[in-house]
Amino acid sequence: MDEDKYLEMLKRAKQLLPKGEETKRFEIPRVVIQNQGRQTFVKNFNEIAKALRREPQHFAKYLFKELAVPGSLGQELSLQGKFSMDFITRKIDSYAKEFVFCEECGKPDTSLIKVDRFYTMKCEACGAKKPVRSIK
Ligand SMILES: [Zn+2]
């Protein structure tokens, strides 16, 4: 990867992160992609899900839907179709924005609570709750 690209990514990562001392520890691992034929593998998918503190299945379903492709989740995530690292990174950013960061205080210390078929995101830092869409 060239340096410009890397710096641009860092910049984006910083923009995504809310300001404040406490949240500095939060980092989404850099996505590791492998393109093979018409498939794309996200090698460290489970690690990213863990960093986001989200169920890998929920996160995977989001990507399948956003990318409109089938795929499967095991040790790594495999997707039908060829996708670039930048593209996947952007999708991960949007997932984090919608399902991880608190809208009120901007912190990532949130959890998803499922009641019936509906998800609510609860912030452990400020107590805010918001309904989030369910992914089918
Ligand atoms: Zn909050």
Side-chain angles (χ1 to χ4, degrees):
M1 185 189 308
D2 62 51
E3 205 183 342
D4 280 354
K5 226 173 179 181
Y6 182 63
L7 286 176
E8 196 198 308
M9 267 183 39
L10 274 184
K11 216 171 109 188
R12 192 169 55 225
K14 273 185 193 146
Q15 282 167 350
L16 187 77
L17 285 178
K19 289 175 184 69
E21 285 297 314
E22 261 181 79
T23 47
K24 273 185 186 155
R25 65 193 155 79
F26 185 76
E27 249 176 71
I28 303 173
R30 192 146 64 90
V31 63
V32 180
I33 291 286
Q34 191 191 356
N35 289 116
Q36 210 175 75
R38 285 181 192 169
Q39 279 189 305
T40 302
F41 296 94
V42 183
K43 311 293 278 183
N44 59 343
F45 183 80
N46 287 304
E47 191 195 325
I48 297 170
K50 203 176 159 193
L52 295 171
R53 291 163 63 210
R54 287 297 171 266
E55 285 289 321
Q57 287 83 358
H58 182 263
F59 186 18
K61 256 173 29 183
Y62 173 86
L63 287 180
F64 298 152
K65 199 179 178 197
E66 282 293 304
L67 273 45
V69 295
S72 60
L73 176 63
Q75 293 285 19
E76 53 193 36
L77 181 78
S78 70
L79 297 160
Q80 293 294 328
K82 264 186 141 176
F83 303 100
S84 70
M85 193 185 96
D86 278 0
F87 184 76
I88 300 289
T89 302
R90 277 202 298 277
K91 293 297 174 190
I92 292 172
D93 286 356
S94 353
Y95 178 81
K97 227 174 176 173
E98 186 171 357
F99 295 102
V100 180
F101 288 107
C102 172
E103 262 185 358
E104 295 298 320
C105 70
K107 285 186 181 156
D109 308 309
T110 59
S111 50
L112 284 188
I113 303 157
K114 194 180 179 188
V115 179
D116 297 325
R117 287 173 301 118
F118 303 99
Y119 281 100
T120 299
M121 188 164 91
K122 186 176 185 288
C123 177
E124 286 148 22
C126 76
K129 280 184 194 172
K130 76 156 186 172
V132 292
R133 72 186 160 113
S134 52
I135 306 164
K136 281 166 199 137

